[in-house]
Amino acid sequence: MNAGAMQDAAAPPYHLPVLLGETIRLLEPARGGLFFDGTVGGGGHAEAVLEAGGEGIELIGCDLDSFALAAASERLRGFGPRTRFIRGNFADFLAGHPGGLSGILLDLGFSNRQISDPARGFSFQKSGPLDMRFDPEGRCTAADLVNRLSRDDLSSLIHRFGEEHFHMRIASAIVRERAKKPLKETRELADIVVKAVPRRHGRIHPATRTFQALRIAVNRELENLEIALCGMRGALAPGGRAAVISFHSLEDRLVKQSFRRGAAEGVYRLLTRKPARPGEDEKRTNPAARSAKLRAVERL
């Protein structure tokens, strides 16, 4: 998720805005109008959009995470009434918007602040509760899924959302261990996954795909993205532009298909035939950017 550098002694910064230059180039904030940042995070992309647009632009920042909204509000305070904030789901906003937006930005995924906070439960590298909710007040947690779903449903979830080859072995191991006691902590689940799969010689931790699958399911990420992509058509004004930054193939596939379908139907003009990717300098400076893909369209 896009996030600006909000630094203090007690917590790490939100991660640097990914593909910032390309995002501004494609959205063209200098055109003016009303822009919507559906994943405002710490406000990094939003700040750049407002600066590039000057006095002729207003921006709505949206996020499920109340802590992120507080950070963005503080960062963007200097822009005064040209900014306003909504706590909620970008899918709901776009699905119900009557139209007229000049720009839409969705920077999907999660921020460094979220993953580095053990209490949020996103990371298997730190011990914390199996939570993974973007909205801290959301109903479903990762613990609910791993302790309540059947083996087959767990296997299907890990396969579908994590694209994990060893999904059945992992699901079976989870069911065996939870029969002894409910699973509550991230490290506990990660250890189960590590023991369930063959030793790998790759760059990613064996639990990466399982944790991704649970996070996507907890937050209904793909379902919300599909709703948002559909809502964009009505929310954008003619000539308005939308840019989406994704971080894994499931997201990128949905974005690519929606944008190409819209182009074929005469709704959009594709601004990116192939996704924009971070350069080597950005990947060195910001390793979190290495898997990012940016696609953009213009409303006809």
Side-chain angles (χ1 to χ4, degrees):
M1 186 181 294
N2 56 329
M6 177 190 172
Q7 302 189 38
D8 57 52
Y14 280 93
H15 69 260
L16 297 171
V18 172
L19 289 163
L20 184 58
E22 283 297 297
T23 300
I24 298 303
R25 182 183 69 80
L26 290 165
L27 285 178
E28 290 189 346
R31 294 178 293 114
L34 179 60
F35 280 64
F36 175 68
D37 186 340
T39 49
V40 72
H45 280 104
E47 181 180 53
V49 168
L50 287 161
E51 288 176 344
E55 294 297 323
I57 186 174
E58 296 181 356
L59 182 137
I60 299 171
C62 177
D63 209 293
L64 281 166
D65 190 330
S66 57
F67 301 105
L69 279 178
S73 178
E74 178 64 26
R75 183 183 186 119
L76 304 177
R77 180 184 297 178
F79 295 99
R82 291 201 287 131
T83 63
R84 61 184 189 270
F85 301 94
I86 298 171
R87 183 181 177 192
N89 193 315
F90 59 71
D92 296 334
F93 179 90
L94 291 172
H97 198 274
L101 293 177
S102 295
I104 296 170
L105 171 62
L106 301 179
D107 182 7
L108 307 172
F110 49 80
S111 71
N112 275 356
R113 181 65 67 88
Q114 288 170 325
I115 198 170
S116 63
D117 182 356
R120 303 299 297 272
F122 287 104
S123 175
F124 46 77
Q125 297 178 336
K126 299 178 181 180
S127 184
L130 274 170
D131 193 322
M132 303 192 192
R133 293 172 297 176
F134 289 153
D135 179 356
E137 297 179 8
R139 291 184 179 181
C140 178
T141 68
D144 293 331
L145 297 180
V146 299
N147 287 302
R148 296 177 185 176
L149 291 181
S150 69
R151 184 196 64 174
D152 288 347
D153 285 345
L154 262 177
S155 174
S156 176
L157 184 154
I158 296 168
H159 182 225
R160 180 185 175 193
F161 295 148
E163 299 179 298
E164 170 61 69
H165 180 69
F166 300 105
H167 52 95
M168 182 57 78
R169 293 177 65 160
I170 293 170
S172 298
I174 290 172
V175 170
R176 282 196 305 271
E177 293 301 319
R178 79 185 189 192
K180 303 173 187 176
K181 63 181 180 67
L183 305 181
K184 297 180 179 180
E185 296 197 351
T186 53
R187 281 272 182 87
E188 186 180 19
L189 176 60
D191 289 343
I192 292 170
V193 176
V194 169
K195 294 174 183 176
V197 303
R199 186 180 297 275
R200 283 176 171 157
H201 301 283
R203 290 190 305 169
I204 68 169
H205 188 283
T208 299
R209 294 188 178 95
T210 298
F211 271 63
Q212 172 185 296
L214 289 169
R215 192 202 78 223
I216 289 173
V218 164
N219 297 291
R220 301 170 63 188
E221 292 178 41
L222 299 184
E223 179 181 340
N224 286 325
L225 178 57
E226 287 187 288
I227 293 170
L229 290 168
C230 182
M232 280 180 184
R233 293 184 173 209
L236 278 172
R241 294 185 169 198
V244 182
I245 302 172
S246 62
F247 290 86
H248 58 74
S249 60
L250 298 174
E251 293 172 338
D252 181 60
R253 191 177 303 130
L254 288 177
V255 177
K256 177 176 69 175
Q257 290 172 349
S258 176
F259 284 179
R260 288 185 176 178
R261 186 165 55 248
E265 295 170 359
V267 175
Y268 292 139
R269 176 172 71 92
L270 293 177
L271 301 176
T272 50
R273 293 285 173 181
K274 293 183 178 180
R277 303 292 301 271
E280 292 303 316
D281 287 344
E282 181 172 6
K283 286 189 282 187
R284 279 193 297 270
T285 304
N286 184 14
R290 63 182 180 271
S291 59
K293 294 181 179 180
L294 167 62
R295 296 183 186 272
V297 290
E298 181 179 68
R299 184 72 164 88
L300 298 177

